[in-house]
Amino acid sequence: MGSVRTRFAPSPTGYMHVGNLRTALYAYLLAKKDGGTFILRIEDTDQERKVEGAVDIIYKTLAETGLAHDEGPDIGGPVGPYVQSERKEIYKKYALELVEKGAAYYCFCDKERLDELRLVQEASKMPSKYDGHCRNLSKEEVEEKLRAGIPYVIRQKIPESGSTVFEDAVFGTISTPNDSLDDNVLLKSDGLPTYNFANVVDDHLMGITHVVRGTEYLSSAPKYNLLYEAFGWEIPIYVHCPPVMKDAHNKLSKRNGDASYEDLIAAGYLKEAVLNYIALLGWSPGGEQEIFTLPELVQAFDISGISKSPSIFDTSKLRWLNGEYIRRLEPKVFFEMAKPYLDRAITSPQIDKEAVAALLQPRCEVLSDIPEHVDFLDCLPEYDTELYCHKKMKTNRENSLTALKEILPVLEGLSDWTQEALHEALFALIERLGVKNGLILWPLRVAVSGKAFTPGGGIELSTLLGKEETLRRVQRGIELLS
């Protein structure tokens, strides 16, 4: 086996879900670790499920996340076309070759017969599989039906006894009894291949050395092996990845309202953080490092780190990781990212949004949280005076009222309204009264924000609000507490 060639082969059925993106990422990392080739192939043989615009989503997501493919429908390459519906004639040729070799056969059963068979099997509580009705038709019978123009499919002829053994890089050696496998359709009556057939033919013709996919394909792998063996082709290395779960019992699913890649970006997660988090879903790099750039992931990636167990998509872990990425941004870059969210929450032209962003950056985990963290700057919300009672600060309604009455004249007397001047004046007051900092600063924070959690303390918030608005809010606090 020469240089590593991997592929990402999505079906264009809409959004890019998290498990799909992880498959693309692992295939990319595996190829790039070896200096190999990463291929994009569009598997659109199921035309009924095809969604308009879905291919564009695939291109956009790969480009955004930096998973640049070396060959694909948009850039071409030596083994195209890279869209399965454009390879129709190729599959027919290979299906007929399998019939010649005795590894496949024509099946003329119509839908009514197959439906009836399935109902009988269900009623008898038997596994649903084809009964081999057309498996042993003579050559003459087949030719007669073909001449009569009877519609047909081509089915795989699974050996009736023995077992098929295959190797998987994650799960090791797996053996499957052949009598448990179905004579699956390879070529449908419309001449298009089934997924199970097309991916084997394409992987061979495109020189794929490592096939990265989800464990839902483990049960089909024996059938793939039998096809490779029938053709006399080299079997690629299988890398089956366990599913990404919502919780212990449910897989992540867009139908159940779980976030796709686009949803996460729209919710204010950074693409680098999403990719980093997805890499760690079911793969461990070993060691303590959790934050990786894409080039660092390429260096660290190894198949041996892929877990056999499903991984749980933990939103709180993703939030934490996203927060780490936000803190590493240049302040100017963070401000540009935060600005649309700040614009949504702050309409007052008096507020310096860049200064707000500077306060937010050390505390923000997800960009979409920004409006609720800063909306009080525009307009003081209605708030409960219970907020003034803080156990750690040792504040209550009574001493908070006293504090605000002491603060008000100090602020009124300030001609220089800067953070330094505010700090100096308030700490002089603290010293004069001989109290702990919190006894003055906590009531000020609540009075100017009406919130328990803010992106800065009372001094920073007063600086942002300006003198007139700060005095108005402190007076409001005195009225509420009186």
Side-chain angles (χ1 to χ4, degrees), residues 13-253:
T13 53
Y15 58 90
M16 174 81 84
H17 63 73
V18 165
N20 232 3
L21 184 56
R22 186 188 64 171
T23 301
L25 175 60
Y26 288 1
Y28 173 86
L29 296 176
L30 189 55
K32 296 303 157 185
K33 177 82 181 266
D34 185 70
T37 306
F38 174 57
I39 294 165
L40 174 64
R41 182 172 78 223
I42 302 296
E43 303 206 329
D44 62 345
T45 53
D46 191 345
Q47 291 286 312
E48 283 169 26
R49 289 179 64 227
K50 192 174 175 183
V51 172
E52 200 59 49
V55 175
D56 295 329
I57 291 175
I58 294 163
Y59 291 145
K60 183 170 174 278
T61 306
L62 293 181
E64 263 183 30
T65 50
L67 305 182
H69 48 287
D70 304 295
E71 300 172 21
D74 52 337
I75 51 177
V79 289
Y82 293 88
V83 177
Q84 284 188 335
S85 58
E86 294 170 20
R87 298 170 64 83
K88 187 172 169 179
E89 292 313 308
I90 297 172
Y91 307 119
K92 179 153 194 185
K93 169 180 167 252
Y94 283 103
L96 295 175
E97 190 181 315
L98 284 177
V99 173
E100 286 298 309
K101 290 174 181 285
Y105 58 93
Y106 288 96
C107 170
F108 300 93
C109 296
D110 58 22
K111 187 177 180 298
E112 286 70 30
R113 181 182 185 277
L114 295 174
D115 287 345
E116 197 179 314
L117 173 66
R118 190 168 56 250
L119 287 172
V120 169
Q121 288 171 336
E122 278 171 13
S124 318
K125 303 222 172 352
M126 290 165 65
S128 181
K129 56 186 281 198
Y130 181 63
D131 62 356
H133 181 72
C134 293
R135 191 178 164 113
N136 298 311
L137 292 174
S138 68
K139 202 168 180 196
E140 292 73 31
E141 287 173 298
V142 169
E143 280 170 6
E144 189 184 317
K145 288 178 186 294
L146 289 175
R147 270 198 306 275
I150 298 171
Y152 66 87
V153 299
I154 292 181
R155 289 183 182 273
Q156 185 173 3
K157 197 175 213 172
I158 303 282
E160 289 174 300
S161 60
S163 55
T164 298
V165 179
F166 72 95
E167 291 294 323
D168 181 75
V170 178
F171 290 88
T173 306
I174 296 178
S175 178
T176 307
N178 290 331
D179 62 9
S180 70
L181 302 174
D182 197 0
D183 282 6
N184 278 106
V185 173
L186 302 178
L187 204 68
K188 295 181 281 193
S189 55
D190 61 4
L192 278 172
T194 56
Y195 167 81
N196 286 330
F197 184 49
N199 87 78
V200 168
V201 172
D202 289 344
D203 285 344
H204 170 71
L205 295 179
M206 293 182 178
I208 303 302
T209 60
H210 295 68
V211 172
V212 181
R213 60 181 166 227
T215 47
E216 63 268 30
Y217 295 107
L218 265 176
S219 60
S220 301
K223 292 179 270 198
Y224 302 154
N225 266 31
L226 288 167
L227 290 172
Y228 280 110
E229 285 165 8
F231 282 122
W233 294 342
E234 190 172 354
I235 296 169
I237 293 167
Y238 296 139
V239 184
H240 286 92
C241 304
V244 179
M245 308 288 283
K246 180 179 189 160
D247 52 45
H249 306 290
N250 300 291
K251 280 176 76 169
L252 270 189
S253 155

Side-chain angles (χ1 to χ4, degrees), residues 81 133 138-139 177 203 268 283 286 328 362 367 385 393 476:
H133 181 72
S138 68
K139 202 168 180 196
D203 285 344
W283 169 73
R328 290 171 178 221
L367 297 172
T385 52
M393 302 295 178
R476 175 78 181 131

